[in-house]
């Protein structure tokens, strides 16, 4: 079913949840996907330029500049060109068009509302989502920078199970609440071992609280088993092993003398994010423990207080009571 006119008309949807407080207003922007589809069906320089000029493209450029996802010299046009040049891009057009139209635009007001409501339940008191969630063609599964976030609608996870979109919506928009209080450091500026240790704390705090923010929504809808992070979180023996591995690495970095970083130091960092996804899973367990021992309000206020206080609260929650 090809309805490009309707997709263009619905390129930007502003949702104000009828049953939610007025502060639960989110903006969902689909133009990156619709313009990517237009380019893939009519690959002219003009259509590529239109894709590069979307707000989402500028958001991806900002994220890349923070994380090094693309070389610093890459422009929004370079990034857009790369994203629509994947070998299977044209093969995905119909599947992505259907997902965008039937699930995102027309079929999931409840999904959008659930996402917005759950995000603020895990943010600081009076939390407000102030930016946009962009749906993108390509890039990482999700990306957040300051007030804005994005989800890659071409990712196999979403194409295979559309309900995952709204759980990842919680995850990425939760990042924006954290980043409004504690901006994400630019990775290129992390130069010594103390800054690396601070980065480990920050990313454990950022990712762990975001994973946990979607826990209730998944639990209530029987969706914990759909994502390996939550399968792990429900397995105490596995989590004990992950936590031991995490804190061995954590202590190793904490005890390094202050000096400039080496490739071996960066390799330590990779061990937190790859494989067993330690800072996602252990960070989520830390958030869950704080929530269950100290209460939801204590966890919410830690979003304002920051990474060091998050670790201190976890140590306190573990202590005998």
């Amino acid at each position: 079913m090809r309805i490009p006119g309707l997709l263009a008309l619905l390129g930007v949807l502003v949702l104000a949840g009828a049953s939610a407080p007025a502060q639960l207003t989110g903006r969902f922007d689909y133009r990156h996907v619709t313009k990517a589809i237009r380019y893939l069906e009519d690959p002219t320089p003009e259509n590529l330029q239109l894709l590069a000029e979307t707000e989402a493209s500028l958001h991806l450029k900002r994220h890349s500049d923070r994380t090094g996802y693309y070389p610093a010299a890459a422009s929004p046009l370079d990034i857009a060109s790369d994203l629509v040049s994947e070998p299977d891009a044209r093969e995905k057009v119909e599947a992505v068009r259907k997902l965008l139209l039937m699930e995102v635009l027309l079929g999931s007001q409840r999904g959008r509302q659930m996402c917005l409501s759950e995000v603020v339940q895990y943010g600081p008191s009076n939390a407000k989502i102030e930016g946009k969630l962009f749906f993108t063609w390509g890039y990482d599964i999700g990306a957040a920078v300051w007030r804005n976030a994005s989800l890659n609608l071409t990712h196999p996870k979403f194409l295979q199970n559309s309900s995952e979109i709204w759980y990842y919506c919680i995850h990425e928009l939760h990042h924006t609440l954290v980043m409004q209080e504690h901006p994400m450091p630019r990775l290129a500026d992390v130069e010594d071992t103390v800054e690396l240790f601070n980065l480990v704390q920050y990313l454990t705090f950022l990712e762990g609280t975001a994973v946990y923010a979607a826990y209730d929504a998944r639990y209530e809808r029987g969706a914990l088993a759909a994502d390996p992070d939550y399968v792990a979180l429900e397995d105490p023996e596995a989590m004990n092993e992950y936590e031991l591995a995490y804190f061995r690495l954590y202590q190793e970095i904490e005890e390094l003398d202050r000096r400039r970083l080496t490739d071996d130091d960066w390799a330590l960092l990779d061990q937190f994010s790859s494989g067993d996804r330690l800072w996602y899973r252990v960070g989520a367990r830390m958030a869950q423990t704080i929530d269950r021992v100290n209460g939801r309000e204590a966890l919410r206020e830690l979003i304002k207080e920051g990474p060091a206080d998050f670790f201190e609260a976890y140590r306190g929650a573990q202590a005998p009571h």
Side-chain angles (χ1 to χ4, degrees), residues 65-68 184-191 199 203 266 269:
D65 287 346
R66 283 274 162 191
T67 63
M184 182 178 178
R186 186 171 174 268
L187 296 191
D189 294 337
V190 176
E191 297 180 341
L199 181 65
L203 290 173
W266 284 110
L269 191 71

Side-chain angles (χ1 to χ4, degrees), residues 30-43 47-48 50-51 54 80 83-84 89 93 96 136-138 154:
Y30 314 101
R31 285 175 290 189
H32 193 272
V33 175
T34 59
K35 292 188 184 303
I37 290 174
R38 178 184 296 180
Y39 170 79
L40 289 166
E41 293 184 329
D42 183 16
N47 282 339
L48 183 60
L50 289 172
L51 174 61
T54 60
L83 294 177
V84 293
V93 166
V96 173
T136 67
W137 184 285
T154 73

Side-chain angles (χ1 to χ4, degrees), residues 178-194:
V178 174
M179 289 177 180
Q180 288 176 44
E181 305 289 340
H182 311 281
M184 182 178 178
R186 186 171 174 268
L187 296 191
D189 294 337
V190 176
E191 297 180 341
D192 68 31
T193 50
V194 171

Side-chain angles (χ1 to χ4, degrees), residues 104-303:
V104 178
L105 291 177
L106 301 180
S108 265
Q109 183 171 343
R110 279 188 294 180
R112 292 188 288 269
Q113 185 58 57
M114 178 269 287
C115 169
L116 298 172
S117 298
E118 291 296 316
V119 169
V120 297
Q121 293 302 315
Y122 286 85
S125 56
N126 300 317
K128 183 179 180 181
I129 299 165
E130 298 186 352
K132 293 184 179 182
L133 180 76
F134 300 105
F135 288 93
T136 67
W137 184 285
Y139 207 79
D140 202 353
I141 186 171
V145 181
W146 193 39
R147 298 177 188 274
N148 295 321
S150 59
L151 293 175
N152 168 14
L153 212 58
T154 73
H155 195 279
K157 193 173 192 75
F158 302 144
L159 292 173
Q160 293 164 10
N161 183 354
S162 62
S163 64
E164 286 292 299
I165 292 169
W166 305 112
Y167 303 125
Y168 273 77
C169 172
I170 297 171
H171 184 113
E172 294 301 331
L173 285 180
H174 188 273
H175 284 342
T176 70
L177 298 186
V178 174
M179 289 177 180
Q180 288 176 44
E181 305 289 340
H182 311 281
M184 182 178 178
R186 186 171 174 268
L187 296 191
D189 294 337
V190 176
E191 297 180 341
D192 68 31
T193 50
V194 171
E195 291 168 347
L196 182 68
F197 176 70
N198 292 338
L199 181 65
V200 168
Q201 284 199 325
Y202 179 86
L203 290 173
T204 303
F205 169 62
L206 177 75
E207 297 294 355
T209 55
V211 170
Y212 187 59
Y215 181 90
D216 283 351
R218 285 183 177 274
Y219 177 80
E220 291 166 5
R221 294 161 180 81
L224 291 173
D227 188 282
D229 288 345
Y230 300 91
V231 173
L233 200 57
E234 293 293 279
D235 185 340
E237 290 187 11
M239 286 306 308
N240 288 341
E241 292 299 316
Y242 293 149
E243 189 163 355
L244 286 171
Y246 174 93
F247 280 104
R248 278 196 296 267
L249 287 167
Y250 179 91
Q251 185 173 3
E252 185 174 349
I253 293 176
E254 184 180 28
E255 293 176 352
L256 291 172
D257 293 331
R258 187 161 198 165
R259 55 170 174 74
R260 291 190 66 83
L261 294 173
T262 67
D263 289 343
D264 288 342
D265 297 326
W266 284 110
L268 287 175
L269 191 71
D270 289 341
Q271 293 181 55
F272 286 102
S273 59
S274 60
D276 292 328
R277 292 171 55 83
L278 294 176
W279 60 35
Y280 297 88
R281 295 173 183 179
V282 175
R285 188 187 219 191
M286 293 167 69
Q288 184 180 61
T289 301
I290 294 166
D291 186 20
R292 292 180 176 178
V293 175
N294 297 343
R296 179 64 50 83
E297 289 305 310
L299 177 62
R300 294 180 69 181
E301 290 311 304
L302 285 168
I303 302 303

